[in-house]
Amino acid sequence: MKKQFKDSLFGEAKTMNHAFRQFSMGAVAVAMIQVASAQVSMTNIVPMSLADQGTEIRIMFNGLPPQPQAYQLEQPSRLILDFDKAQQSLKQTSIPVSTSEASSIEVAADDQRSRVIVNLKDAGAFTTRVEGNTFVLKINSARSSAINVPAISHQPQQGVSNIGFQRGNQGEGLIVIDLLGNNTPVDVQQQGSKIIVRTMGNKIPTHLARRLNTNDFATPVASVDAYNDKGNGVISIQSTGSYEYMAYQAENKLTISLKRPEDKSPLKTKAQTYTGNKISLDFQDIEVRRVLQLLADFTGINMVAADTVQGNITLRLKDVPWDQALDIVLKTKNLDKRRNGNVIWIAPVSELIKAEEEEAKAIAQSVKLAPLQTEYIQLSYAKAVDIEKLITQGKNSNTNNNGNSSSTNISNDTLTGGLLSPRGTVSIDPRTNTLIINDTSQKIDQIRKMIDLLDVSVKQVMIEARIVSASTDFTKEMGVKWGVLSQGITNNSDLLVGGSDTTLWNLRKPEKDDDRGGWKYEIERPDNLNVDLGAVTPGASRIAFGLISLSDFMLDLELSAVQADGYGEVISTPKVMTADKQPAKISSGTQIPYSSSTGSGANAVPKTEFIDATLTLDVTPSITPEGKVMMKLNIAKDSVGGSTPTGQLMINKNQIDTNILVDNGETVVLGGIFEQTNQNAQTKVPFLGDLPYIGRLFRRDSKTENKRELLIFVTPRIVNDTLTRNH
């Protein structure tokens, strides 16, 4: 009983589509928004009457009350509060209220929320506030509200209130969508085996976002899925096998009907049904014309028999429909009938065929002699040149070379339905995009029907490609330089010490210092090293020490180290918009010239040619019936590289050529190139560089890591014309 009560309460609230509106909470309710509500439980509800001020309802929880979703119904007058993620542990589901503003309070709950329904008598304005763990609802007196509070205006409601399914009388599946208002924007599209219904700008309520499995109803509908996508509600109807659908809306009810298509194959023999009144015939060797007369008297239908209808027949039919008895008589004597209103013409089959041929020839002759007229058709979307090609390509070519044609040819041209008759002409005016057709009225009507089908707007697709080229570089290098130098022959003529023989040669040739006295040397410092293994990367940090400095002897040491990190990212985003099944190309970059020659020897002629080093996006999209996009893509990102020994520039090529199928708005990674280089190098003096600790003075260590990555992303978006079609 309790579950039935809850279902009735929730169901009643769902069916009242146009009556409710959401009201704004009081200023004190800001405190509820600041703290996220945990799973709480409703413990008690206490209503009380305030003298000449209204009714106050105190709803108590075992924790901080969650923020409710509130609705007001007018017929009947009710106030509904939905507390999400809140349970209720009340013993009573109905609490009476004896005030002038409310009559009772009803409580229901499910797994997701708790609902409090206040049945109103004469409601005025109301406010809410929170006092600790108590949610307070105050309903002001209707008398004071009528004086001080203006009437609340009715706002038009939009959205979906219910989604239902039922089986029709003819086995069709009916999906009934209840809308909150008849002004709710709805877009219905067929995408292959699915029917997609979108409520533009309105989401599906949480309790309706589910799947309805309808396989057991023996209809073309397999399932109905309701979900939300980017602020819009989506109802996806999945069918089984082939189907025909129809969508119609009456007031606030949108109905989608799916039924099995009728088999219209000409190869399938249809069972003929007879609906005439039953008749019994028992004759021996009776004239056929007499039987026809009896059937005419029985049915009251006028029957005209040709003079060639002769012969006798024997019949024994009991309780047979008269139209079936007539067919039996005609097939037995190789006769056939043609009915026009209340008159049936009966004649031999060959005579009827000959008469129809003569009639066809007469029609063809009338077409040959039909007057010509000129029609001006201005096209809106298609090009007049393209439509002209279609018309001329469909022209029947049964005319003779001399321009004359026989009557047979004219008849064939008419019967085969050529877009232009033998006397018809078509011309175009490119300036106004107008077709000028001179032909019979029948042919002009055929051409106009074709133009009505072809001269329509074509969907457009925005193709966005994102090409990301990322690089990461890391370098670490440590080295040392040191050298020994003596003062030379001025202090010690027996010992000369230097980093190389170049230094010794400089020490052998001192020059007299006239200003200061003594001797001076011009020593080439880079060659004054015993170990030259310092860091070679520009920007290295260096520090030098003079370890030994005697009167004629000096030992210097220089340490160098460098660490470099680098990260670079180049993002190219070419975009192009094109129509469905129309190629498009966008290119940006430079052209590199190079020289070449034609001929040889003295006859050589120099010339300059150009090679593209550009970013190019070449795409041809094709929209599938399911709403996906098939793309033929060619993306190239070329850049200038190094140079050849002859001075010619090289081009770094990055290109991808593929065909892909992508959902509308979906981003796909087409391909990528990843390169990584790790290099550890060590330069040292043999033996000395391997010694522990001391070996540091005789070697240089370097570490290099380089990473290169190229990724290509493509996102197609179908330009939505929903707003245009809705208005």
Side-chain angles (χ1 to χ4, degrees), residues 688-701:
L688 297 178
D690 297 329
L691 297 177
Y693 304 108
I694 301 177
R696 280 290 192 182
L697 300 175
F698 298 93
R699 68 172 182 261
R700 177 175 64 224
D701 298 323

Side-chain angles (χ1 to χ4, degrees), residues 620 629-634 656-662 670:
T620 303
V629 181
M630 175 70 75
M631 293 182 294
K632 182 180 180 182
L633 280 167
N634 186 288
I656 186 171
D657 191 356
T658 183
N659 290 294
I660 57 172
L661 180 64
V662 187
L670 296 183

Side-chain angles (χ1 to χ4, degrees), residues 577-721:
M577 179 180 287
T578 181
D580 183 25
K581 298 178 180 62
Q582 297 298 318
K585 182 177 181 180
I586 184 173
S587 180
S588 176
T590 60
Q591 287 187 325
I592 301 175
Y594 73 96
S595 299
S596 61
S597 61
T598 58
S600 61
N603 298 325
V605 179
K607 65 176 182 178
T608 302
E609 298 182 1
F610 293 87
I611 300 178
D612 292 334
T614 60
L615 171 63
T616 305
L617 172 61
D618 194 348
V619 60
T620 303
S622 178
I623 303 175
T624 65
E626 296 82 7
K628 299 182 179 181
V629 181
M630 175 70 75
M631 293 182 294
K632 182 180 180 182
L633 280 167
N634 186 288
I635 301 176
K637 188 179 186 303
D638 302 336
S639 60
V640 180
S643 58
T644 63
T646 59
Q648 301 288 346
L649 295 177
M650 295 185 297
I651 299 177
N652 299 324
K653 296 191 67 70
N654 294 288
Q655 186 175 0
I656 186 171
D657 191 356
T658 183
N659 290 294
I660 57 172
L661 180 64
V662 187
D663 289 333
N664 181 26
E666 183 182 39
T667 300
V668 62
V669 181
L670 296 183
I673 301 174
F674 179 77
E675 298 178 355
Q676 182 175 359
T677 303
N678 295 326
Q679 184 177 2
N680 294 319
Q682 188 179 77
T683 305
K684 63 183 178 180
V685 179
F687 179 73
L688 297 178
D690 297 329
L691 297 177
Y693 304 108
I694 301 177
R696 280 290 192 182
L697 300 175
F698 298 93
R699 68 172 182 261
R700 177 175 64 224
D701 298 323
S702 63
K703 181 179 180 181
T704 304
E705 294 181 359
N706 297 325
K707 297 179 181 179
R708 300 289 186 271
E709 187 172 10
L710 177 66
L711 294 175
I712 300 176
F713 306 85
V714 175
T715 305
R717 290 184 175 88
I718 300 175
V719 178
N720 195 356
D721 58 346

Side-chain angles (χ1 to χ4, degrees), residues 370-437:
L372 300 179
Q373 64 183 37
T374 303
E375 187 77 10
Y376 302 90
I377 303 176
Q378 188 174 17
L379 305 179
S380 301
Y381 301 98
K383 294 181 179 179
V385 177
D386 299 335
I387 300 298
E388 182 197 19
K389 292 181 180 179
L390 294 176
I391 295 175
T392 55
Q393 288 175 358
K395 185 176 180 179
N396 196 297
S397 59
N398 287 328
T399 57
N400 298 328
N401 294 332
N402 56 4
N404 300 324
S405 62
S406 62
S407 60
T408 305
N409 289 334
I410 295 176
S411 300
N412 291 337
D413 180 74
T414 303
L415 296 176
T416 54
L419 294 178
L420 284 178
S421 67
R423 299 182 297 156
T425 60
V426 58
S427 57
I428 63 172
D429 180 20
R431 186 178 62 87
T432 60
N433 201 34
T434 302
L435 288 174
I436 306 172
I437 303 172

Side-chain angles (χ1 to χ4, degrees), residues 198-217:
R198 290 184 173 88
T199 56
M200 312 305 297
N202 299 280
K203 292 186 176 182
I204 302 293
T206 305
H207 65 280
L208 297 178
R210 63 184 186 275
R211 163 171 284 195
L212 301 177
N213 194 346
T214 60
N215 271 327
D216 298 335
F217 291 89

Side-chain angles (χ1 to χ4, degrees), residues 522-572:
E522 293 182 0
I523 301 175
E524 300 176 9
R525 299 298 301 174
D527 294 333
N528 186 31
L529 297 173
N530 295 82
V531 176
D532 188 6
L533 296 175
V536 296
T537 302
S541 177
R542 304 175 186 272
I543 185 172
F545 301 92
L547 301 181
I548 299 177
S549 181
L550 302 177
S551 61
D552 62 347
F553 191 83
M554 183 179 66
L555 174 63
D556 57 344
L557 175 68
E558 181 185 275
L559 302 178
S560 59
V562 63
Q563 179 171 326
D565 295 309
Y567 176 78
E569 186 177 76
V570 178
I571 301 177
S572 305

Side-chain angles (χ1 to χ4, degrees), residues 27-37 64-65 67:
V28 186
V30 178
M32 299 184 295
I33 306 176
Q34 298 176 350
V35 182
S37 61
L64 185 65
Q67 181 182 2

Side-chain angles (χ1 to χ4, degrees), residues 130 170 277 544 653:
V130 176
Q170 300 179 359
N277 296 328
K653 296 191 67 70

